[in-house]
Amino acid sequence: MSRPSTLGEFIIEKQSEFQYAEGELSRLFNSIRLAAKVVNHEVNKAGLVDILGNANTENIQGEDQQKLDIYANEKFIQTLINRNIVCGIASEEEDDFIAVNSQNNAHSNKYVVLMDPLDGSSNIDVNSSVGTIFSIYRRVTPVGGPVTIDDFLQKGRQQVAAGYVIYGTSTMIVYTTGKGVNGFTLNPAIGTFYLSHPQMKFPEKGGIYSVNEGNYIHFPQGVKDYIKYCQKEEEDRPYTSRYIGSLVSDFHRNLIKGGIYLYPSTSKNPKGKLRLLYECNPIAFLAEQAGGKSSDGFTDTLDIQPTSLHERVPFYCGNTGMMQTLEGFLQRYG
Ligand code: AHM
Ligand code: MG
């Protein structure tokens, strides 16, 4: 058996397939790979050192930040800035986007990165999986000039690449550049990611639904009806219910086993909870590349025009067949 390729080798091998093969995107992936390893090390130590708990600050959405959120945010931003490969960065943990300093000629860089440095961080306290989500675009403003909000408010369809790091029983990087989805597993002993999941695809049929059912009473009628449909004794149903409360982990499981993830609008939060730009869009791109589908119930997530950096949207994502059934239920009520 030949030796599996490493993420580093894979990045170099694929560079020529890419339209703008100047190595910039490859360097960007290498930085994400490096930051992921550093964050992974810290996440793994979380139970050992006194790093758990609240850092006593709130982010722009008024949510408590955990210390590891801040750590991951700093590590990813530092790595991207130090290596001078992007012109701008937006993060769940930063109120505004960061225009990377032009001192070191960074404005000649073409890419912006949007990320959620540590998603599902409430899981850290209970030793469950968390993830980093990232999304990469080519800037729309001219290279050489300052980066602006327009570089970040692009439709998900314009993404050049997207992916996540899952810090689970194993740590993996799963990403796409629009030519399928590939997953790499970290061998922690030597700090190398190996291609373990080439060309990932949702199975033909899914049998898992993932939703915070505690909010059932507040869901739109179409979602309530769909949940009842999932629970009905008929054909291949009832489906199995699985919900970790960590988007990356729930999506990763559903991608491998076949399933649907739902974070609906609720009567309290009509736009749902998840952020379009750095949570939904990257996952939507991966889903589509893996033969799945995602939407807000009506419009494909990747076709939604963003209007602000931290905006939220209802988010449904998974096996195409399951998504079509769900959308049928939602659209009955308009
Ligand atoms: P976070 O960005 O504050 O971590 O929130 C996002 C997370 C998702 O990973 C997860 O799917 C969802 O919030 C869970 O929310 P809830 O606890 O309301 O079910
Ligand atoms: Mg998040």
Side-chain angles (χ1 to χ4, degrees), residues 92-93 116 118-121 133 274-275 278-279:
E92 178 175 343
E93 305 299 342
D116 184 349
L118 208 64
D119 183 64
S121 52
I133 312 175
L274 300 183
R275 288 51 147 214
Y278 43 79
E279 292 178 329

Side-chain angles (χ1 to χ4, degrees), residues 279-297:
E279 292 178 329
C280 305
N281 271 339
I283 299 293
F285 189 18
L286 289 161
E288 190 176 280
Q289 285 292 315
K293 186 176 181 345
S294 86
S295 75
D296 64 359

Side-chain angles (χ1 to χ4, degrees), residues 63 92 116 118-122 212 215 243 245-248 250 261 263 273-275 279:
E63 296 157 340
E92 178 175 343
D116 184 349
L118 208 64
D119 183 64
S121 52
S122 61
N212 185 344
N215 294 327
Y243 189 71
S246 160
L247 172 62
V248 168
D250 280 310
Y261 174 92
Y263 210 107
K273 176 182 184 191
L274 300 183
R275 288 51 147 214
E279 292 178 329

Side-chain angles (χ1 to χ4, degrees), residues 137-154:
Y137 292 86
R138 264 179 89 85
R139 63 187 300 179
V140 290
T141 54
V143 172
V147 66
T148 76
I149 187 72
D150 294 341
D151 296 314
F152 297 92
L153 300 186
Q154 300 190 50

